[in-house]
């Protein structure tokens, strides 16, 4: 544990001495809690506030073609066989990244607990487990499932899974781990306080998941189980196919370090991350980074050259993850609404953004890989993300897509 003097020195080094403003008013337990939090907080991320785009400079972008559905259909039998074999041999595991706050959806509970049912309860987590269970049945082998939470939603998520009896999944094959937190700051990089004894923090993005798995001792578990491939997926896509045998087989047979499920863009400017090459290595550019030239470019068939968007379902080769786990990923500095206490100690809930959160993203891990297989899936069958209550990518739109796919709600 840090002493007051050590904490005070650490804060001074990072220009954050205001964190101890109320120290003398705190009781012993609060004092101890705050010193512990100061000890474990990485304040070095805050310097990105001064130059928020410096960490995100781009190299030379060129197209990366996807394996498209006609080819996948033609080679389906081979892909499926290779995928099922890998699953039966225990070489494939699933990793659910569910540490986010889901602020846009606006529910107090973790997003996985959200009920999208109309005539019966259908929780988001239930949809994911049902989809994974389809593959378990087909392969006749239980797929190990790792679930990442954060300190903000861990207890509720675990309790929910217990109460729901893991939706029938074999609980001896489910492991939870928590991601790290990052401080949240004002526009000048000074951390906000969420209470007199607590620095405001938020989950540090979905990019730190493998490091967090290692910290939790779960990379040893992967070795013990003989896992060679990890299918990473987001909590919010309720049509998500997880450890899809065809995708697993196609990625393994391609010899690539990672497979990325992609959908054909609905139109050139669509707000999705585009798969491409950057300085000759696989990469994803965000929609707001697309230049007019990139948007207008065509391939030899006359189709848009940057025509495929990622849906946050990646199959990573485990040994490659171990190779890159200590590399620094770019830092994304994101403007958000951060609740805090003002200089007089009064709580403030801002109506509009008032500062930055600091996040690393899983999509940046793709750029660290040697090679990537973009694998096309049909959007209406596999992509129903829930980000908002209504409108685009919402509970409403996801319900409609479930209905189209014959899922009773
Ligand atoms: P989003 O960027 O949509 O998630 O995450 P969010 O931060 O939960 O949502 P908003 O912006 O506040 O509404 C995509 C996926 O990455 C996970 C989320 O849980 C979701 O599955 N994620 C996000 C993490 O696991 N950790 C994070 O720190 C952030």
């Amino acid at each position: 544990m840090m002493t007051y003097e050590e904490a005070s020195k650490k804060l001074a080094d990072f220009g954050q001495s205001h964190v101890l403003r109320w120290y003398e008013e705190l009781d012993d337990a609060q004092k101890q809690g705050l010193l512990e939090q100061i000890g474990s907080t990485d304040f070095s991320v805050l310097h990105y506030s001064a130059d928020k785009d410096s960490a995100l400079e781009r190299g030379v972008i060129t197209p990366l073609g996807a394996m498209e559905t006609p080819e996948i259909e033609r080679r389906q039998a081979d892909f499926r066989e290779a995928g099922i074999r890998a699953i039966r041999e225990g070489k494939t595991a699933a990793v659910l990244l569910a540490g986010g706050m889901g602020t846009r959806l606006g529910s107090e509970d973790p997003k996985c607990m959200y009920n999208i049912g109309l005539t019966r309860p259908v929780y988001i987590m239930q949809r994911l487990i049902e989809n994974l269970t389809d593959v378990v049945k087909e392969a006749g082998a239980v797929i190990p499932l790792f679930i990442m939470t954060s300190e903000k939603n861990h207890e509720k998520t675990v309790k929910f899974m217990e109460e729901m009896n893991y939706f029938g999944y074999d609980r001896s094959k489910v492991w939870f781990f928590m991601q790290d937190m990052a401080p949240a700051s004002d526009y000048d990089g000074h951390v906000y306080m969420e209470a007199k004894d607590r620095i405001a923090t938020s989950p540090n993005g979905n990019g730190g998941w493998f490091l967090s798995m290692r910290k939790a001792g779960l990379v040893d578990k992967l070795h013990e189980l003989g896992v060679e491939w990890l299918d990473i997926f987001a909590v919010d896509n309720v049509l998500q196919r997880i450890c899809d045998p065809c995708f697993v087989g196609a990625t393994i047979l391609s010899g690539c370090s990672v497979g990325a499920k992609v959908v054909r863009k609905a139109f050139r400017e669509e707000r999705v991350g585009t798969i491409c090459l950057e300085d000759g290595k696989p990469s994803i550019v965000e929609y707001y980074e697309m230049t007019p030239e990139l948007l207008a470019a065509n391939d030899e068939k006359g189709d848009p050259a940057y025509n495929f968007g990622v849906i946050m379902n990646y199959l990573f080769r485990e040994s490659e993850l171990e190779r890159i786990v200590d590399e620094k990923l770019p830092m994304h500095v994101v403007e958000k609404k951060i609740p805090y206490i003002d200089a007089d100690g009064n709580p403030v809930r801002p109506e509009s953004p008032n500062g930055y959160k600091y996040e690393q993203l899983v999509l940046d891990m793709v750029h660290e890989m040697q090679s990537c297989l973009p694998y096309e899936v049909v959007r209406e069958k596999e992509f129903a993300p829930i980000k908002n209550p209504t409108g685009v990518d919402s509970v409403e739109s996801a319900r409609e897509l479930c209905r189209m796919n014959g899922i009773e709600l």
Side-chain angles (χ1 to χ4, degrees):
M1 239 269 290
M2 273 201 156
T3 62
Y4 176 85
E5 285 67 33
E6 285 163 344
S8 164
K9 161 106 184 31
K10 181 174 179 183
L11 291 170
D13 288 348
F14 289 101
Q16 307 292 334
S17 298
H18 61 288
V19 167
L20 290 169
R21 175 186 289 152
W22 291 285
Y23 190 78
E24 290 312 323
E25 290 178 29
L26 306 178
D27 66 28
D28 284 350
Q30 290 171 320
K31 282 181 178 163
Q32 192 173 331
L34 181 56
L35 293 180
E36 257 168 39
Q37 192 190 20
I38 296 166
S40 64
T41 298
D42 178 8
F43 294 102
S44 71
V45 299
L46 300 164
H47 78 269
Y48 289 107
S49 62
D51 189 8
K52 78 198 241 315
D53 299 324
S54 71
L56 301 175
E57 267 162 32
R58 287 292 178 180
V60 177
I61 305 294
T62 52
L64 172 62
M67 182 184 273
E68 300 183 20
T69 47
E71 182 179 354
I72 294 171
E73 269 162 39
R74 210 171 48 246
R75 302 177 63 189
Q76 200 182 134
D78 289 347
F79 290 163
R80 189 165 289 278
E81 194 202 311
I84 291 285
R85 193 176 335 120
I87 293 163
R88 274 197 194 131
E89 289 172 354
K91 291 185 179 161
T92 315
V95 184
L96 167 59
L97 304 183
M101 299 281 285
T103 47
R104 281 169 287 175
L105 189 57
S107 159
E108 284 295 305
D109 288 328
K111 209 187 239 188
C112 69
M113 290 173 65
Y114 199 85
N115 178 7
I116 62 163
L118 294 168
T119 61
R120 60 175 188 136
V122 178
Y123 302 100
I124 289 182
M125 181 67 100
Q126 177 182 350
R127 288 268 54 255
L128 300 175
I129 300 275
E130 282 170 358
N131 289 348
L132 183 59
T133 301
D134 287 347
V135 182
V136 168
K137 283 193 183 140
E138 186 182 349
V142 183
I143 296 168
L145 170 63
F146 296 87
I147 300 176
M148 181 168 87
T149 60
S150 81
E151 66 178 37
K152 303 263 182 194
N153 68 12
H154 182 79
E155 263 176 52
K156 278 191 175 175
T157 304
V158 175
K159 192 162 160 267
F160 175 65
M161 286 295 269
E162 292 285 340
E163 275 169 14
M164 294 295 156
N165 193 26
Y166 290 71
F167 296 101
Y169 210 75
D170 179 351
R171 60 190 289 173
S172 71
K173 295 283 166 58
V174 181
W175 290 268
F176 293 91
F177 64 102
M178 269 197 262
Q179 70 174 97
D180 289 327
M181 305 296 284
S185 77
D186 65 15
Y187 292 121
D188 295 325
H190 295 113
V191 295
Y192 278 115
M193 297 302 286
E194 66 186 30
K196 290 182 176 177
D197 62 339
R198 190 100 196 129
I199 298 164
T201 60
S202 69
N204 67 348
N206 58 28
W209 65 272
F210 194 70
L211 198 59
S212 300
M213 264 186 104
R214 188 174 70 177
K215 275 196 202 163
L218 291 173
V219 172
D220 294 336
K221 179 56 75 186
L222 295 175
H223 294 166
E224 189 189 311
L225 296 168
V227 172
E228 294 178 10
W229 295 92
L230 291 171
D231 191 3
I232 308 311
F233 61 103
V235 74
D236 36 42
N237 176 7
V238 289
L239 285 183
Q240 184 108 246
R241 306 309 306 172
I242 306 151
C243 293
D244 166 5
C246 216
F247 173 52
V248 171
T251 304
I252 293 177
L253 294 178
S254 74
C256 290
S257 319
V258 62
K261 282 204 171 183
V262 295
V263 290
R264 193 174 291 268
K265 286 194 193 171
F267 49 94
R268 288 184 194 248
E269 296 80 12
E270 192 184 356
R271 292 176 157 221
V272 289
T274 303
I275 194 98
C276 61
L277 292 175
E278 178 180 351
D279 296 332
K281 287 177 70 195
S283 191
I284 290 145
V285 284
E286 295 280 14
Y287 68 89
Y288 50 81
E289 296 173 313
M290 292 290 284
T291 60
E293 293 73 34
L294 293 177
L295 286 172
N298 285 336
D299 66 13
E300 64 283 0
K301 288 185 284 180
D303 290 334
Y306 299 93
N307 209 13
F308 291 95
V310 289
I311 61 168
M312 211 183 135
N313 190 315
Y314 303 101
L315 186 73
F316 284 98
R317 190 190 289 275
E318 199 273 339
S319 58
E320 282 288 281
L321 292 169
E322 290 196 42
R323 179 179 65 80
I324 65 144
V325 61
D326 294 313
E327 304 276 325
K328 269 236 169 301
L329 292 177
M331 187 61 69
H332 294 253
V333 181
V334 205
E335 264 194 88
K336 294 261 180 172
K337 291 182 242 177
I338 302 154
Y340 67 101
I341 55 166
D342 65 17
D344 300 324
N346 300 315
V348 181
R349 283 205 158 259
E351 297 285 321
S352 52
N354 60 331
Y356 295 135
K357 289 186 175 177
Y358 301 83
E359 299 189 340
Q360 292 183 322
L361 302 182
V362 66
L363 56 82
D364 288 315
M365 291 171 93
V366 173
H367 188 49
E368 303 295 322
M369 297 285 125
Q370 311 282 0
S371 50
C372 173
L373 174 73
Y375 175 99
E376 186 191 2
V377 297
V378 178
R379 164 192 301 255
E380 291 74 22
K381 291 193 181 149
E382 292 203 26
F383 191 42
I386 298 178
K387 303 282 185 195
N388 308 295
T390 56
V392 179
D393 295 344
S394 67
V395 179
E396 279 174 359
S397 61
R399 278 188 182 137
E400 177 58 18
L401 285 158
C402 283
R403 197 187 55 75
M404 282 165 58
N405 283 280
I407 295 158
E408 194 197 320
L409 292 179

